[in-house]
Amino acid sequence: MATVCVPLSVLRLLEVALTCVSFSLVASVGHSSSSSSSSSSYWAWCMFSWCFCCFLTLLILVLEFARLSARLPISWDDFTAAFAMLAALMLLAASIIYPSVVFSCPGCARQVAASVTSCLAFLAYCVEVGVTRAQPGQVSGFLST
């Protein structure tokens, strides 16, 4: 239970919630098949980004809560920092692409809410990168091992 109260775990739970909400809002709106194929591929990229980030962050949380992360043959801190950087870049792209290319606005409250939650998820991943890389006693370089 002590793992849940760690600020980094709370931040990751927030990331899971925000990416899940973004994915769910866009999935509930759907995507019209009459739009161009480039718009469809951008829509698919955004959906993949939200789903991938949500799933992998949830997997990281489960591995940490079950204390299985220490048994993996990788540097766990480097892996989580690298994933947070990747997720931040993917969500930045999705936060820019989705509102500018994909959605039209016949009743766009859910699309706007999805864009806002995607931007908030991007900021949460940026904060995670800052928190994990700025810990005292840590090597400040990327992927120290």
Side-chain angles (χ1 to χ4, degrees):
M1 195 62 178
T3 311
V4 177
C5 298
V6 175
L8 197 56
S9 295
V10 173
L11 185 61
R12 287 184 180 140
L13 287 170
L14 178 66
E15 293 164 353
V16 167
L18 289 170
T19 53
C20 184
V21 166
S22 295
F23 176 82
S24 300
L25 285 170
V26 174
S28 71
V29 171
H31 186 65
S32 65
S33 59
S34 63
S35 62
S36 69
S37 65
S38 65
S39 177
S40 295
S41 59
Y42 288 128
W43 181 83
W45 165 255
C46 294
M47 292 294 282
F48 170 77
S49 296
W50 294 316
C51 188
F52 177 77
C53 293
C54 181
F55 174 74
L56 222 54
T57 305
L58 192 59
L59 180 66
I60 288 170
L61 282 169
V62 167
L63 289 173
E64 284 184 347
F65 290 157
R67 301 202 190 278
L68 295 173
S69 60
R71 296 182 181 174
L72 296 175
I74 60 172
S75 173
W76 185 251
D77 291 335
D78 285 345
F79 171 72
T80 56
F83 171 69
M85 290 178 202
L86 172 68
L89 291 173
M90 289 175 72
L91 291 175
L92 175 63
S95 297
I96 293 170
I97 290 170
Y98 183 71
S100 62
V101 175
V102 176
F103 78 78
S104 59
C105 205
C108 60
R110 285 186 276 179
Q111 290 130 330
V112 170
S115 298
V116 169
T117 56
S118 182
C119 289
L120 291 173
F122 161 70
L123 292 174
Y125 278 105
C126 288
V127 168
E128 180 182 349
V129 170
V131 167
T132 57
R133 300 315 300 166
Q135 293 175 351
Q138 286 271 340
V139 176
S140 62
F142 173 62
L143 297 177
S144 59
T145 58

